[in-house]
Amino acid sequence: MSTQSPPSTLVIDRTTITSLFAALSVLITAYIASLRLLHASTTIKLRIIFIWHLFDSLIHFIFEGSFLYNCFFTYTSIPHTSDYPHPASLSPPGVYFLGYQDRLYGSAYGTSPTAKLWQEYAKADKRWGGADLTVISLELLTVFGAGPLALYICELIRRRDSGARLWFWGVILATGELYGGFMTFAPEWLTGSPNLDTSNFMYLWVYLTFFNMLWVFLPLFVLYEAYNSISLAFARASRAVGVESKKTA
């Protein structure tokens, strides 16, 4: 059973518009890159997969990379008392992020454009405004593992290499994205979603649902296409073996 989020006032300001435009501009950049980098004979499906993985890598590098930067380098000092953890801390009692008992880390305490971007998203999920250990652990893998791998997949498509390497790494990345999404939200679902604000349309359906479901449906699409490609390759190999057997019989 989930906890009902308290009513909140939706404020659409310059930061809200800028954050949404920044995400849209990444998608537009990925689309333009597909027009300039891909061969004219590239299929629509491969173009979609290219655009998705370039969008994916840029989001990981720029957006989530900035989240990690704020987690590790942006903080506010607090007095250390016996009442620790501080009410704003996302760590359990006796656990201090980076070992500092007198600091609270995260974008909530920054003034940079990227800090403000994550402050905006944190209105829907407050873990992204602080230093949540589960989220940071997942994002370290995402930024330094998934980001480069997504870019490598784009390069394979650009080189018109749509064989085993493309689908092998595509399956690995898609599976990792789905697992990462589950591990991001499963702790919330199991504890009544105490960090989520679902009290208005923007937070529930745009920030939490739309943006996160992209990392569900697109990886599933990649897995579906990989299954079809691998199945076709095995079918062709089986037919080739059958023909060769008949020749040697």
Side-chain angles (χ1 to χ4, degrees):
M1 181 179 296
S2 62
T3 301
Q4 180 66 36
S5 302
S8 62
T9 302
L10 173 62
V11 178
I12 300 180
D13 54 16
R14 179 179 297 178
T15 301
T16 307
I17 301 301
T18 302
S19 300
L20 293 173
F21 178 76
L24 178 61
S25 66
V26 173
L27 179 59
I28 293 173
T29 299
Y31 173 73
I32 294 175
S34 73
L35 297 178
R36 298 179 65 88
L37 297 177
L38 298 184
H39 192 271
S41 63
T42 304
T43 65
I44 293 178
K45 289 181 180 179
L46 283 178
R47 285 184 180 276
I48 292 173
I49 292 173
F50 176 92
I51 293 170
W52 160 244
H53 283 98
L54 185 54
F55 173 80
D56 186 38
S57 66
L58 292 175
I59 290 293
H60 291 333
F61 288 139
I62 300 172
F63 284 60
E64 292 164 83
S66 70
F67 167 77
L68 287 180
Y69 178 86
N70 283 299
C71 285
F72 284 94
F73 299 105
T74 302
Y75 65 89
T76 185
S77 297
I78 58 172
H80 176 63
T81 68
S82 59
D83 295 329
Y84 193 89
H86 188 276
S89 173
L90 297 178
S91 300
V95 176
Y96 312 103
F97 183 63
L98 300 183
Y100 289 101
Q101 302 181 23
D102 58 346
R103 294 180 181 179
L104 290 176
Y105 283 87
S107 58
Y109 313 107
T111 58
S112 67
T114 59
K116 291 184 180 298
L117 181 149
W118 286 110
Q119 289 168 17
E120 177 64 26
Y121 185 76
K123 294 176 182 178
D125 186 344
K126 70 179 182 181
R127 294 175 299 170
W128 298 85
D132 181 88
L133 301 181
T134 299
V135 172
I136 291 174
S137 299
L138 289 169
E139 288 303 332
L140 285 169
L141 287 173
T142 298
V143 173
F144 296 105
L149 183 52
L151 207 56
Y152 175 66
I153 290 172
C154 290
E155 174 61 13
L156 290 176
I157 297 174
R158 187 194 69 81
R159 297 198 319 235
R160 304 170 70 184
D161 183 351
S162 58
R165 281 188 297 182
L166 172 64
W167 299 116
F168 174 79
W169 291 114
V171 166
I172 289 178
L173 180 57
T175 304
E177 299 281 13
L178 291 170
Y179 176 79
F182 178 81
M183 290 303 299
T184 298
F185 286 100
E188 287 298 299
W189 299 332
L190 294 173
T191 55
S193 303
N195 294 303
L196 305 184
D197 184 347
T198 60
S199 61
N200 64 62
F201 179 88
M202 179 71 78
Y203 299 162
L204 174 59
W205 296 108
V206 179
Y207 290 179
L208 294 175
T209 302
F210 174 73
F211 282 116
N212 287 287
M213 290 305 288
L214 288 176
W215 274 265
V216 174
F217 288 115
L218 272 302
L220 286 175
F221 172 72
V222 173
L223 291 176
Y224 173 76
E225 290 301 321
Y227 173 81
N228 287 338
S229 179
I230 293 170
S231 297
L232 180 60
F234 272 104
R236 287 174 175 172
S238 297
R239 286 197 296 269
V241 170
V243 171
E244 188 64 26
S245 298
K246 290 179 180 179
K247 289 181 178 179
T248 57

